Structures are given as structure tokens and as C-alpha cells.
Amino acid sequence: SKGRGGGGITSLEACALVNGTNVTQDPGEMWLCDVDDAADGTVAITLDLGKPRAVGGLKVWNFNTSVEDSYLGVKRMDVLLDGRAVSPADGFLIRKAPGGDGFDFGQFIAFG
């Protein structure tokens, strides 16, 4: 996938996906890619947790730099765990961010 500056995603951009800074409007703490550059219109993100772990869900904070830019966030998301789909056939519907950081707008997605 391509990050903000074109080309491959940088390690700095990848860190924004899991760095623990969540309720923010700082674009340096978020990740955005150009889906139009993806061959089939999808972007894949793979996380390796390093060793077997029990994963019951994840929390998503969508793209949130401003009200106008909140429409740039993900709309639907397919999730695979060890190669097995845990999302519905049409993916999880992800809420649009509010465009402000006055409250924790994260969305918890439970698996199974």
C-alpha cells in the first residue's frame, strides 16, 4: 500500500497504526493511503504479534484530522485472524470519525 508520500508505507507511518495515540487530530499520529493506487481498490495491513496470542477483538479510531477530512477514513473492513475471516461477508462497517478530539470515539469490534 502507499502512504502519504507515495511509494511504500514507511515505518514511521506504520507506527501510527499501533502507537497508542488514539484520540487526536494530529495527522502525524494517523495513517492514510491512496486507495486509488491499489490494484483492486483494497489495501491490506498485516500485523504480526510475534507469538501466538488470544485476540478477541480490536478497537478502531478512524481518520480524524478535521470534520471535512473525516470522510477519508475507512468505510468497511475485512479482518482475518490466522488466515480465517472473522468479519461478516461484507466486512465490518466502520464509523466515521467526528472530526474533533473531545471524547474517545474509538469503535470496538468483537470477534466471534
Side-chain angles (χ1 to χ4, degrees), residues 63-99:
F63 194 77
N64 189 51
T65 57
S66 67
V67 172
E68 294 82 13
D69 285 348
S70 66
Y71 289 96
L72 297 174
V74 66
K75 310 290 187 284
R76 291 203 174 267
M77 180 173 62
D78 293 320
V79 178
L80 283 78
L81 215 63
D82 293 329
R84 183 179 59 88
V86 293
S87 50
D90 56 349
F92 290 113
L93 181 62
I94 306 301
R95 288 192 300 257
K96 186 176 82 63

Side-chain angles (χ1 to χ4, degrees), residues 4 11-22 27-31:
R4 287 185 200 96
S11 59
L12 180 60
E13 289 170 328
C15 286
L17 291 171
V18 294
N19 69 1
T21 302
N22 305 315
E29 300 291 347
M30 299 177 212
W31 178 70

